């Protein structure tokens, strides 16, 4: 064997041995190594460290590096003199400062000094908290609370001089297993005693947990770290403090806390002393928080020997509703005394079990033990760990505890829900009266009114917010396109209609979307021009200054003004599926990217200055779901649960009310003939499918290949003439996106599969076997097309942030660029001479373009289509079939590529959306998917935080 | 503090960093040398800013810093998905360099640079193993890199960079299972190596 081969062999054996229990390894190795003793010894040398390896390098050190990067560690005080104290070593450090071991020369003892450096004068709140802790501790003089000796200040360094408590923390002790019943109750008794003393002085600890409790070898307990303590009645706004696993439900909600929060934590600590497991635990912070809010502690985990009254006490301490919780920690002390009394051997105390004085008889014993302990200084320094984890960041789901109401149950779709700033009115789009109209409802009344009554012709656009309220709520604003009398065609415009009903009036001409500043005097808007330039007006003006424009092909949608007025948030990207949230100051400057979904991001809305909600599809293209992000920390969280997808979202100004449209639409496949007359609804025939839905049909001989969703993801199916369907691609292996491409001989097909990072192109046999990826370096986008000679595939792939067409040799998988500009969704002409494709989106439109097979521009008639469907199919060498109309409603037309003559093929009506289609090989029928939209408005009333 | 060099680095244009990232991922090691000071300067700036605006509820998290640096330094319109992975890889290497330099400096100041165990500042190390000899680990990783570069990188990414298994897998373009396997074998290898060199 060569060296690398031998090394590989050692590794493989080592790896296999690690998968076995330690005692099985020798026999395994003996067998696996045969007589090769040298090999076996090499493996054994590695395996010798298996136990040690468990704990080795398990905690990443990156956080330490981050601290070094701040330069803060350079302020180490080791060796310095502060007053009469010599700093000996650092015990621990955390966000709030550092804790050192120091020697007090005057009294000849070691102390702990908690220091807040003044290097960061920008942090006054640290100093305030520091002084508060000093004051709190000074009022507490208790044997079970680590004492404060003083407050020292020297050379700009301020330090709290504290009792140095040697010994392990309760957390460290519990890592080795539960305490005995007697030890646990003894410790619980001391903790209760200390908390009672604090509560009597109106002080709440707020961060009681095993890591903040020291327990010495003789069983003496000391509570450390009143750094989070509050005096009763003092309220800290907003911040959620404490340590997850020991937080009370009200604390986890960020609500007001009182001494009952300590009682909850006390219950958690006692439970953990008895079981060595957290009462409420989870793999993640979110799971722990959920357990705290929703689950009961596992009472079966308590030892069988737990006295019934202790079991009852714990259940009372861990009541989720503070009103039902034990009120006074003193009551806990009494219960524990009773249990301890019962535990003690009969001869150990003179008094009988019913003697009310038995607690008193124990006290001298306990104090004597404590006094003896104080004389002994143990070695381990554990106090240093105080601060490290005490302040975790907690993210709270804004929808937690929300009351959810369904506002409408109209048949069909409700879209573009908007809510007035005061949260009293909701407006939305509905076709309930036969045309798409703006409807309004005054919340609480249950009444809905049609405000536009057929007076507006185009209201729907999934890529922009088309309905809103003026700041005072008196007007509903809406977007529509109207005929442009000057230049012909359609022009975007903002309109308004009084919320209580009245005439429709132009509001801002030539704009697509707008939002008002917090004071309602300034407007941010964008016209539907290339790159969606964003404009901001001065107070009380309607014409603004351009602050930003995207490069051609890219879009800026959904501008909203932050509550504090400092930023404009907007959605930037390639419509619609490659977008993210960005922000820019209203004065302009470089925009800043906040999210990295690269997905269909829409409808951002702010609950407050920090919390931004929006809709986005996830990395597999599922959804859209509701997401939330803290705009400073920028970790996106999906906050809607369940499989419902959301199609619009808006919040009231106080962030307490949210409206959304929840969709439950299904798509089905239809067939309609192509004939000399315009076909109507009656000519369309539903294609029965064995799957629940179907989209993106492609006709392959007598079969139809289509996509269908199952179990939340989309696969590819083949429907045979008899009505049976077989699955060609299981969506669990990756979600199939866009229509498949079918080879001219029908023997192979190509499809695009979305992976979390990018999309891959697959080629497979017509029966679903022989799957392989081709041109895997490409991040493909949109639908592929197969050349008529069967040799090539054409598909768009992302390059430099925009889709561009490539051709791929099917057999070698080699890709070559075809078009060097924005280009997507190609279709090959029947002769194979040229390909038709979509150019860049401008506003809500895109152009149809063509290129020869060797990359030269090919002339086609000027054809500008609306977004929503991009499919072009050939019905003969010079005739294409397209979908033409509004963004959300289109009909089939044919276009003669020689003459440019257009002819309408269908008039199917306005109540459904056609997405994708194919033409039968004889050119006489269209097979298409059609979605009947079903959605309702839901209202979320969010609790006060 | 020895970051004067970092201070002299002008804030680079987002496009430049994106280009350098790409050049490095295409195999240009010189690009890495240009990138490191830029990334370090930004991380230092952000780390200080972070401490400056630290409020109750925030702790300084390396991963948050790195993410923020990535947002600041790169041209978001042009970054590709893999650029972020490469950036994480660079940051992990940087973290390693910072830690080892720090430990060396400390040892030098304390003992005139003798060849003794070089642990981190006790306080800084409180979240990790206070007895860990960072310089010896660094040397062992160098040795490991010679026989198995990927395993050495896995340790660097996960231990020094704080990356998750999945993130490390993305950086190295291997499966998470490969990372897990490398991780457990590399730890055994390092322990064997370190055993020889430490008392």
């Amino acid at each position: 064997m060569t060296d690398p081969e031998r090394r590989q062999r050692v590794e493989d054996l080592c790896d296999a041995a690690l998968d076995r229990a330690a005692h099985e390894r020798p026999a395994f190795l003996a067998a696996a190594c045969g007589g090769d003793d040298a090999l076996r010894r090499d493996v054994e040398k590695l395996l010798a460290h298996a136990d040690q390896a468990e704990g080795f390098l398990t905690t990443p050190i990156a956080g330490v590096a981050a601290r070094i990067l701040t330069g803060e560690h350079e302020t180490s005080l080791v060796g310095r003199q502060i007053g009469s104290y010599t700093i000996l070593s650092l015990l621990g450090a955390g966000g709030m400062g550092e804790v050192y071991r120091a020697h007090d020369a005057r009294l000849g003892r070691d102390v702990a000094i908690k220091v807040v450096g003044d290097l960061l004068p920008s942090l006054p709140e640290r100093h305030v908290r520091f002084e508060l802790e000093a004051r709190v501790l000074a009022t507490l003089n208790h044997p079970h609370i680590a004492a404060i000796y003083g407050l020292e200040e020297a050379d700009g360094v301020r330090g709290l001089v504290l009792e140095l408590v040697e010994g392990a923390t309760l957390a460290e002790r519990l890592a080795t297993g539960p305490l005995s019943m007697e030890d646990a109750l003894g410790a619980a008794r001391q903790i209760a005693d200390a908390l009672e003393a604090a509560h009597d002085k109106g002080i709440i600890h707020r961060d009681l947990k095993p890591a903040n409790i020291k327990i010495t070898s003789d069983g003496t307990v000391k509570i450390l770290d009143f750094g989070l303590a509050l005096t009763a009645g003092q309220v800290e706004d907003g911040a959620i403090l404490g340590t997850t696993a020991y937080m009370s439900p009200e604390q986890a909600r960020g609500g007001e806390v009182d001494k009952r929060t300590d009682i909850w934590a006390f219950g958690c600590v006692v439970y953990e002393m008895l079981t060595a497991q957290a009462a409420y635990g989870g793999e993640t912070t979110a799971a722990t928080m959920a357990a705290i809010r929703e689950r009961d502690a596992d009472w079966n985990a308590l030892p069988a020997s737990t006295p019934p009254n202790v079991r009852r006490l714990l259940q009372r301490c861990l009541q989720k509703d503070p009103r039902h919780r034990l009120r006074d920690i003193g009551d806990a002390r009494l219960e524990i005394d009773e249990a301890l009394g019962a535990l003690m051997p009969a001869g150990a105390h003179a008094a009988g079990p019913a003697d009310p004085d038995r607690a008193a008889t124990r006290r001298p014993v306990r104090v004597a033990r404590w006094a003896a302990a104080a004389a002994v200084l143990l070695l381990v320094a554990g106090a240093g760990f105080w601060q490290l984890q005490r302040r975790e960041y907690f993210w709270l789901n804004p929808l937690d505890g929300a009351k959810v109401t369904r506002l409408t149950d109209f048949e069909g779709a409700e879209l573009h829900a908007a809510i007035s700033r005061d949260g009293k009115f909701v407006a939305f789009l509905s076709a309930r009266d036969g045309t798409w109209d703006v409807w309004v409802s005054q919340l609480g009344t249950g009444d809905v009114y049609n405000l536009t009554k057929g007076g507006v012709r185009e209201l729907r656009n999934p890529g922009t917010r088309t309905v809103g309220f003026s700041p005072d709520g008196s007007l509903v604003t809406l977007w529509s396109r109207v005929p442009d009398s000057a230049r012909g065609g359609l022009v975007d415009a903002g309109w308004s209609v009084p919320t209580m009903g009245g005439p429709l009036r132009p509001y801002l001409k030539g704009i697509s979307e707008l939002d008002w500043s917090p004071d309602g005097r300034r407007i941010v808007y964008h016209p539907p021009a290339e790159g969606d330039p964003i404009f901001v007006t001065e107070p009380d003006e309607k014409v603004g200054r351009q602050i930003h424009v995207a490069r051609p092909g890219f879009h800026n949608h959904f501008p909203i003004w932050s509550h504090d007025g400092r930023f404009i948030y907007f959605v930037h990207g390639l419509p619609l599926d490659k977008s993210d949230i960005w922000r820019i100051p209203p004065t302009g400057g470089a925009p800043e990217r906040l999210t990295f979904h690269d997905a269909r991001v829409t409808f951002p809305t702010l609950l407050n200055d920090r919390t931004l909600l929006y809709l986005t599809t996830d990395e597999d293209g599922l959804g859209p779901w509701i997401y939330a992000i803290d705009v400073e920390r920028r970790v996106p969280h999906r906050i809607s649960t369940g499989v419902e997808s959301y199609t619009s979202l808006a919040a009231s100004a106080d962030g307490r009310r949210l409206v959304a449209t929840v969709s439950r639409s299904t798509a089905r496949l239809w067939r309609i003939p192509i004939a000399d007359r315009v076909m109507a609804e009656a000519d369309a025939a539903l294609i029965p499918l064995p799957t629940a839905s179907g989209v993106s049909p492609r006709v392959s001989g007598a079969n139809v290949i289509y996509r269908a969703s199952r179990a939340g993801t989309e696969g590819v199916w083949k429907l045979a003439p008899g009505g049976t369907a077989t699955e060609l691609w299981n969506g669990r292996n990756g979600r199939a996106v866009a229509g498949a491409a079918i080879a001219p001989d029908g023997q192979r097909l190509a499809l695009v599969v979305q992976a979390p990072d990018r999309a891959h192109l697959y080629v497979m046999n017509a029966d679903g076997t022989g799957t392989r990826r081709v041109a895997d370096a490409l991040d493909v986008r949109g639908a592929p097309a197969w050349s008529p000679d069967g040799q090539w595939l054409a598909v768009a792939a992302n390059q430099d942030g925009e889709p561009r067409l490539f051709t791929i040799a099917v057999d070698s998988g080699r890709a070559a660029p075809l078009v060097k500009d924005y280009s997507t969704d190609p279709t090959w002409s029947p002769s194979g001479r040229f390909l038709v494709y979509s150019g860049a989106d401008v506003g809500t439109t895109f152009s149809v373009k063509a290129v020869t097979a060797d990359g030269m521009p090919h002339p086609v008639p000027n054809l500008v289509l609306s977004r929503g469907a991009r499919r072009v199919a050939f019905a003969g060498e010079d005739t294409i079939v397209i979908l033409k109309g509004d963004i959300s409603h289109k009909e089939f037309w044919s276009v003669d590529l020689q003459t440019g003559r257009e002819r309408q093929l269908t008039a199917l009506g306005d109540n459904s959306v056609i997405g994708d289609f194919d033409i039968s090989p004889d050119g006489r029928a269209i097979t298409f998917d059609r979605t009947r939209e079903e959605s309702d408005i839901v209202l979320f009333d969010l609790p006060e935080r | 503090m020895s970051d004067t060099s970092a201070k002299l680095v002008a804030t680079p244009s987002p496009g430049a960093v994106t280009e350098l990232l790409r050049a490095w991922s295409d195999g240009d090691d010189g690009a890495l040398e240009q990138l490191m000071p830029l990334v370090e300067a930004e991380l230092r700036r952000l780390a200080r800013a972070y401490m400056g605006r630290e409020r109750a509820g925030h702790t300084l998290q390396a991963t948050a810093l790195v993410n923020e640096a990535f947002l600041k330094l790169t041209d978001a319109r042009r970054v590709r998905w893999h650029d972020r992975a490469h950036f994480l890889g660079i940051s992990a290497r940087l973290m390693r360099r910072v830690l080892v330099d720090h430990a060396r400096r400390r040892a030098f100041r304390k003992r005139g640079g003798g060849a003794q165990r070089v642990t981190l500042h006790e306080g800084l190390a409180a979240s990790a193993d206070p007895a860990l000899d960072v310089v010896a680990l660094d040397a062992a990783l160098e040795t490991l890199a010679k026989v198995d570069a990927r395993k050495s990188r896995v340790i660097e990414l996960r231990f020094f960079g704080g990356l998750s298994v999945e993130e490390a897998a993305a950086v190295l373009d291997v499966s998470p299972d490969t990372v897990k396997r490398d991780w457990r074998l590399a730890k055994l290898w390092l322990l064997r190596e370190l055993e020889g060199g430490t008392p």
Side-chain angles (χ1 to χ4, degrees):
Chain A
M1 268 191 292
T2 62
D3 261 12
E5 278 171 359
R6 184 175 177 83
R7 202 168 48 76
Q8 190 60 46
R9 181 91 183 109
V10 170
E11 275 189 7
D12 289 346
L13 285 172
C14 189
D15 198 43
L18 284 173
D19 286 337
R20 291 169 166 76
H23 67 270
E24 293 169 1
R25 287 174 198 161
F28 165 75
L29 283 184
C33 295
D36 192 343
D37 284 351
L39 177 68
R40 185 171 48 81
R41 273 195 304 278
D42 277 355
V43 178
E44 281 170 352
K45 260 189 241 161
L46 282 174
L47 285 174
H49 302 284
D51 287 345
Q52 231 181 322
E54 286 288 302
F56 181 55
L57 306 183
T58 37
T59 312
I61 202 168
V64 180
R67 269 185 63 73
I68 292 173
L69 286 168
T70 65
E72 273 210 344
H73 65 287
E74 296 296 326
T75 66
S76 169
L77 298 174
V78 172
R80 273 178 68 175
Q81 195 77 22
I82 300 179
S84 62
Y85 302 96
T86 311
I87 307 284
L88 299 176
S89 62
L90 189 84
L91 292 172
M96 293 282 285
E98 286 159 332
V99 184
Y100 293 91
R101 172 190 282 265
H103 185 70
D104 179 353
R106 232 175 6 176
L107 297 175
R109 64 180 175 184
D110 281 3
V111 297
I113 295 190
K114 195 169 177 179
V115 169
V116 55
D118 68 344
L119 288 133
L120 299 159
S122 58
L123 301 175
E125 66 264 29
R126 279 200 198 179
H127 293 267
V128 169
R129 177 148 287 292
F130 199 67
E131 277 174 20
L132 180 71
E133 183 177 2
R135 277 205 306 276
V136 163
L137 282 176
T139 58
L140 290 173
N141 178 13
H142 192 273
H144 298 308
I145 296 173
I148 182 167
Y149 298 146
L151 190 60
E152 281 291 330
E153 200 162 348
D155 304 334
V157 177
R158 312 181 77 201
L160 277 184
V161 186
L162 303 165
E163 177 184 358
L164 180 67
V165 187
E166 310 274 6
T169 68
L170 183 56
E172 288 160 341
R173 166 61 190 84
L174 287 174
T176 64
L179 300 185
S180 72
M181 185 58 62
E182 192 177 359
D183 287 351
L185 293 181
R189 172 70 168 72
Q190 299 174 63
I191 296 166
D193 213 15
L195 281 182
E196 192 177 2
H199 288 180
D200 281 352
K201 296 218 155 68
I203 292 161
I204 315 158
H205 187 288
R206 285 208 301 177
D207 196 17
L208 187 71
K209 58 179 171 180
N212 275 342
I213 297 166
K214 283 245 175 173
I215 183 157
T216 62
S217 56
D218 72 325
T220 305
V221 165
K222 291 228 178 199
I223 300 182
L224 309 174
D225 204 352
F226 272 74
L228 281 190
L230 280 186
T231 46
Q234 181 190 0
V235 177
E236 262 193 349
D237 54 345
I240 301 172
L241 305 170
T243 307
T244 332
Y246 308 94
M247 263 187 187
S248 63
E250 65 271 22
Q251 199 174 10
R253 275 197 305 272
E256 220 170 293
V257 300
D258 59 21
K259 63 184 186 178
R260 288 173 295 190
T261 267
D262 282 349
I263 289 174
W264 169 282
F266 172 80
C268 289
V269 168
V270 177
Y271 180 96
E272 194 164 333
M273 286 197 289
L274 291 172
T275 61
Q277 69 187 47
Y280 302 95
E283 296 256 308
T284 60
T285 304
T288 304
M289 304 267 278
I292 289 170
R293 284 190 310 266
E294 289 147 25
R295 279 219 312 277
D296 223 9
D298 177 10
W299 298 115
N300 294 328
L302 288 175
S305 61
T306 311
N309 75 320
V310 171
R311 200 175 277 270
R312 221 166 32 239
L313 169 68
L314 289 178
Q315 284 164 350
R316 286 184 66 201
C317 288
L318 295 176
Q319 284 292 324
K320 304 212 186 288
D321 185 340
R323 289 171 305 178
H324 301 150
R325 204 173 298 153
L326 187 80
R327 274 182 194 274
D328 197 322
I329 193 72
D331 293 340
R333 182 174 52 77
L334 295 176
E335 292 289 340
I336 292 166
D337 279 339
E338 190 177 315
L340 272 172
L343 275 183
M344 285 181 68
H349 54 100
D355 189 332
D357 286 329
R358 65 191 182 282
T361 61
R362 276 181 56 82
R363 189 178 289 263
V365 179
R366 185 170 46 75
V367 172
R369 283 169 74 191
W370 170 78
V376 184
L377 281 183
L378 298 172
L379 280 175
V380 190
F385 293 90
W386 294 15
Q387 299 226 340
L388 286 173
Q389 296 191 327
R390 40 178 283 172
R391 290 195 171 198
E392 295 173 29
Y393 172 81
F394 293 107
W395 188 86
L396 206 53
N397 182 342
L399 296 188
D400 264 0
K403 192 174 103 196
V404 188
T405 331
R406 190 175 292 272
L407 271 189
T408 60
D409 54 359
F410 299 177
E411 196 175 315
E414 279 88 72
L415 299 170
H416 284 276
I419 188 163
S420 59
R421 282 192 177 183
D422 63 8
K424 290 184 174 147
F425 290 92
V426 169
F428 55 93
L429 302 182
S430 166
R432 188 191 190 185
D433 286 354
T435 52
W436 282 98
D437 284 300
V438 177
W439 292 67
V440 71
S441 171
Q442 185 172 6
L443 292 178
T445 63
D447 297 330
V448 287
Y449 298 99
N450 184 341
L451 280 181
T452 52
K453 298 197 177 70
V456 188
R457 54 170 284 164
E458 191 177 341
L459 281 165
R460 290 177 296 164
N461 181 347
T464 60
R465 190 189 295 280
T466 70
V467 179
F469 280 93
S470 62
D472 64 2
S474 65
L475 299 174
V476 173
T477 54
L478 50 116
W479 166 90
S480 175
R481 292 203 291 178
V482 292
D484 184 347
S485 51
R487 278 175 295 175
L490 295 170
V491 61
D492 286 42
W495 297 79
S496 73
V497 57
T499 303
M500 303 311 277
L504 196 64
R505 291 209 168 87
Y507 190 81
L508 258 186
K509 227 180 180 168
I511 63 141
S512 294
E513 292 173 283
L514 83 166
D515 191 36
W516 288 266
S517 60
D519 64 6
R521 294 179 61 198
R522 302 173 70 190
I523 297 171
V524 56
Y525 65 88
H526 74 87
E530 187 169 70
D532 285 338
I534 297 177
F535 289 81
V536 168
T537 68
E538 291 304 310
D540 308 320
E541 288 184 6
K542 276 191 168 182
V543 177
R545 184 174 75 85
Q546 180 178 320
I547 60 163
H548 177 62
V549 62
R551 65 172 162 136
F554 286 75
H555 286 248
N556 298 318
H557 286 173
F558 298 100
I560 53 167
W561 216 305
S562 70
H563 290 186
D564 59 11
R566 290 173 53 223
F567 293 102
I568 309 288
Y569 289 87
F570 61 100
V571 171
H572 168 87
L574 290 169
L576 290 169
D577 292 327
K578 296 259 175 196
S579 301
D580 270 296
I581 308 266
W582 294 61
R583 72 178 185 187
I584 187 172
T587 48
E592 198 184 354
R593 185 173 180 173
L594 272 70
T595 64
F596 284 81
H597 293 289
D598 211 17
R600 180 181 287 235
V601 174
T602 54
F603 290 95
T605 188
L606 284 154
L607 293 186
N608 50 49
D609 286 338
R610 294 281 296 259
T611 315
L612 180 77
L613 269 50
Y614 55 96
L615 303 178
T616 181
T617 48
D618 65 19
E619 56 195 18
D620 295 326
L622 301 174
W625 325 113
I626 306 179
Y627 270 69
I629 190 170
D630 177 324
V631 297
E632 300 306 326
R633 293 186 62 89
R634 302 179 187 177
V635 182
H637 300 266
R638 177 179 165 184
I639 60 173
S640 65
T641 52
V643 295
E644 287 99 350
S645 57
Y646 291 79
T647 51
S648 67
L649 187 69
S652 63
D654 64 2
R656 297 282 307 280
R657 262 191 175 154
L658 199 62
V659 281
T661 44
V662 187
S663 164
R664 38 190 174 83
S665 305
T666 48
R668 295 198 161 77
L669 296 186
W670 297 73
R671 187 177 288 124
I672 198 162
I674 297 177
D676 290 339
R677 65 180 171 89
V678 176
M679 294 285 146
E681 183 63 48
D683 299 308
L686 181 69
I687 302 175
L689 294 177
T691 50
S693 66
V695 292
S696 299
R698 293 291 184 270
V699 180
S700 171
N703 300 320
V704 177
I705 313 285
Y706 68 97
R707 290 189 295 133
S709 53
R710 198 169 67 162
T713 179
E714 280 169 322
V716 176
W717 295 71
K718 177 165 75 180
L719 179 71
T724 56
T726 45
E727 191 180 39
L728 301 181
W729 174 262
N730 187 317
R732 278 199 307 273
N733 302 321
R735 176 175 173 260
V737 291
I742 296 166
D745 61 4
Q747 294 305 304
R748 284 185 291 177
L749 56 110
L751 55 106
V752 175
V753 174
Q754 183 68 46
D757 55 331
R758 60 198 181 88
H760 302 281
L761 183 64
Y762 283 79
V763 169
M764 62 175 68
N765 298 326
D767 61 359
T769 61
T771 308
R772 65 185 170 101
R773 285 188 194 174
V774 290
D776 210 27
L778 297 181
D779 175 12
V780 298
R781 184 159 174 233
W786 211 303
S787 71
D789 64 6
Q791 307 290 307
W792 303 90
L793 283 165
V795 70
N798 286 314
Q799 194 174 42
D800 294 330
E802 65 181 22
R804 293 176 190 170
L805 291 186
F806 286 78
T807 52
I808 296 157
V810 178
D811 291 327
S812 71
R814 227 161 46 84
L818 179 67
V819 178
K820 297 208 164 51
D821 303 318
Y822 191 116
S823 47
T824 178
D825 294 84
T827 309
W828 234 292
S829 75
S831 69
R833 281 192 304 119
F834 65 98
L835 300 93
V836 173
Y837 63 89
S838 303
D841 286 17
V842 177
T844 57
T845 63
F846 64 93
S847 296
V848 175
K849 298 182 170 184
V851 61
T852 64
D854 47 11
M856 304 303 290
H858 180 81
V860 283
N862 182 24
L863 194 55
V864 177
L865 301 178
S866 292
R867 269 195 342 238
R870 292 179 182 279
R871 172 75 170 157
V872 174
F874 279 84
E877 178 69 11
D878 289 319
T879 308
I880 55 170
V881 174
I882 53 165
L883 279 162
K884 191 177 153 174
D886 300 343
I887 278 192
S888 45
H889 176 71
K890 299 181 178 68
E891 297 287 350
F892 288 104
W893 290 64
S894 70
V895 181
D896 186 314
L897 291 179
Q898 295 293 333
T899 63
R901 198 176 63 87
E902 298 179 5
R903 184 169 78 87
Q904 185 167 359
L905 302 178
T906 61
L908 293 170
D910 201 15
N911 58 359
S912 56
V913 175
I914 298 169
D916 200 352
F917 67 96
D918 202 13
I919 310 263
S920 59
D922 61 8
R924 298 188 40 197
I926 306 171
T927 302
F928 60 100
D929 68 41
R930 190 154 64 149
T931 303
R932 175 148 178 80
E933 290 177 77
E934 286 287 347
S935 60
D936 291 316
I937 309 243
V938 290
L939 178 73
F940 297 86
D941 278 302
L942 309 183
E944 195 160 10
R945 302 282 185 207
Chain B
M1 197 44 228
S2 65
D3 68 332
T4 30
S5 60
K7 273 180 193 145
L8 294 175
V9 177
T11 304
S13 84
V17 170
T18 317
E19 281 309 312
L20 284 170
L21 262 179
R22 201 152 294 173
W24 181 61
S25 63
D26 291 344
D28 176 1
D29 283 346
L32 180 64
E33 289 312 308
Q34 289 180 56
L35 266 174
M36 291 280 257
L38 299 179
V39 177
E40 180 174 353
E42 185 63 22
L43 283 176
R44 281 191 193 283
R45 206 183 57 69
L46 287 172
R48 288 202 206 88
Y50 226 83
M51 294 307 276
R53 67 162 185 263
E54 182 182 341
R55 290 175 50 85
H58 286 192
T59 52
L60 184 62
Q61 284 185 329
T63 44
L65 274 187
V66 171
N67 275 327
E68 204 166 332
F70 181 66
L71 293 179
K72 287 256 153 61
L73 283 180
T74 55
D75 177 359
R77 285 170 310 175
R78 301 180 53 221
V79 295
R80 292 178 304 192
W81 186 81
H82 236 78
D83 293 342
R84 181 167 175 277
H86 291 306
F87 192 85
L88 293 178
I90 289 173
S91 301
R93 177 150 309 170
L94 185 75
M95 296 290 190
R96 173 175 165 192
R97 194 183 277 185
V98 162
L99 283 158
V100 172
D101 284 356
H102 171 77
R104 284 214 182 92
R105 265 203 309 277
R106 241 176 56 77
F108 187 83
R109 269 205 306 250
K110 227 170 158 178
R111 319 185 181 100
Q116 300 155 53
R117 288 177 66 77
V118 190
T119 59
L120 289 168
H121 199 294
E122 293 86 339
L124 287 171
S127 63
D129 176 1
L132 180 76
D133 184 336
V134 181
V135 175
L137 175 67
D138 182 59
L141 279 175
E142 286 296 321
T143 314
L144 177 58
K146 288 189 188 111
V147 289
D148 192 332
R150 194 181 67 205
K151 286 199 178 62
S152 178
R153 288 271 281 149
V154 165
I155 298 285
E156 178 177 278
L157 294 170
R158 298 215 54 214
F159 181 64
F160 287 100
L163 300 195
S164 68
V165 168
E166 288 71 22
E167 285 168 326
V171 175
L172 298 172
D173 209 9
V174 295
S175 73
D177 281 345
T178 303
V179 169
K180 284 182 201 154
R181 184 173 183 274
D182 279 355
W183 172 244
R184 95 177 169 177
L185 288 171
K187 286 207 292 185
L188 291 183
W189 194 95
L190 287 171
L191 281 167
R192 193 191 62 192
E193 187 76 8
L194 289 169
E195 186 187 46
T198 52

